[in-house]
Amino acid sequence: MQTDPLTLPALMKPDNPLWRYALACWQKPELAEACLRLQTQGWSVTRILCAGWLGVNGRTFTGIEDAKVTEWREHVTGRIRSTRKSIPRDHGPTHELRNALAKAELQAEQTELALAWQTLYERNPEVASMQNCTAITVQNLLTAAPLTTRELQSMTQITKLAGLLAEHSRRSIEPC
C-alpha cells in the first residue's frame, strides 16, 4: 500500500513551549505513567498535554484540533508506535531496531506537538473564568477525552491527572 506524502507547513517550530512542557511533564514518572495508562484506553497523549498546557495557562481547551495533527498521529506517530510495540522488548537480534523505532517515535511526537502548537492559541482563545489551574485542567481533560470513553472515565483519575499537570506547572512554568 503506497501512501502519499503528507502536506506539512513549510515552517514549524519543533522546540516550542508545548514541547518543553511535555518534556518537563515526562520527567515526573507518576505523570508519565498516568498519561500512558490513558493512552491504552484510547486517549491521545498529545491532547492530554495540550489540555494540561492550556489549563496551566488559564485557557480552556475546545477539543478542536487541526486535521494535520490527527492525520500525523494516525499515519506517522501511531504507525511507528505500533511497529515498535510489535517487536519484543527483550529480543536481542532486534534490540537496535526497537531502539531506533523508539527514537523515531519520539521525533514523531515532537512533530505532532509542533503541529498542535501552531494552532493551539488560535483554536483555544478563551481565557477561563476559573482561577484554579486544576479546575481548568479537569475541564480541559474532559474535553480531551475520547468520545467513546468519556462516561467511563473515573473523575478521581482525571482529577488526579489534572492535579499532577497543574502541580508540575507551578514548579516549571508560570502558573495561571
Side-chain angles (χ1 to χ4, degrees):
M1 178 174 75
Q2 180 72 24
T3 303
D4 292 331
L6 300 176
T7 304
L8 298 172
L11 296 174
M12 289 193 316
K13 190 175 179 183
D15 184 20
N16 59 65
L18 178 59
W19 174 247
R20 289 189 294 276
Y21 174 76
L23 289 176
C25 285
W26 232 246
Q27 297 303 309
K28 187 168 187 173
E30 186 179 13
L31 180 52
E33 289 169 20
C35 289
L36 291 174
R37 263 192 316 276
L38 287 172
Q39 185 178 50
T40 65
Q41 297 173 27
W43 288 61
S44 159
V45 173
T46 298
R47 289 176 61 85
I48 292 170
L49 293 169
C50 287
W53 188 83
L54 286 166
V56 300
N57 284 285
R59 294 192 166 295
T60 56
F61 185 45
T62 64
I64 300 169
E65 66 185 357
D66 190 84
K68 294 285 178 215
V69 177
T70 53
E71 185 179 32
W72 182 268
R73 181 181 307 126
E74 289 174 21
H75 294 283
V76 180
T77 310
R79 289 181 183 176
I80 294 171
R81 180 178 298 119
S82 178
T83 302
R84 176 189 54 80
K85 286 183 169 187
S86 68
I87 299 172
R89 189 179 295 242
D90 56 355
H91 187 253
T94 57
H95 181 72
E96 283 185 46
L97 175 59
R98 194 174 198 287
N99 285 343
L101 287 168
K103 185 176 180 178
E105 183 181 354
L106 182 62
Q107 290 173 326
E109 289 166 341
Q110 184 176 18
T111 299
E112 189 174 322
L113 286 168
L115 289 167
W117 171 252
Q118 286 196 283
T119 58
L120 208 54
Y121 261 52
E122 290 171 15
R123 298 196 181 215
N124 301 279
E126 188 176 322
V127 175
S129 59
M130 300 174 267
Q131 293 301 312
N132 181 308
C133 287
T134 303
I136 297 167
T137 305
V138 165
Q139 186 57 49
N140 286 352
L141 288 170
L142 289 171
T143 302
L147 290 175
T148 56
T149 59
R150 278 189 186 160
E151 309 82 33
L152 305 174
Q153 297 304 318
S154 160
M155 277 305 293
T156 304
Q157 185 180 14
I158 291 171
T159 304
K160 181 178 180 178
L161 177 59
L164 288 169
L165 289 164
E167 173 187 311
H168 175 71
S169 72
R170 285 191 281 276
R171 294 186 192 141
S172 62
I173 299 174
E174 292 181 31
C176 57

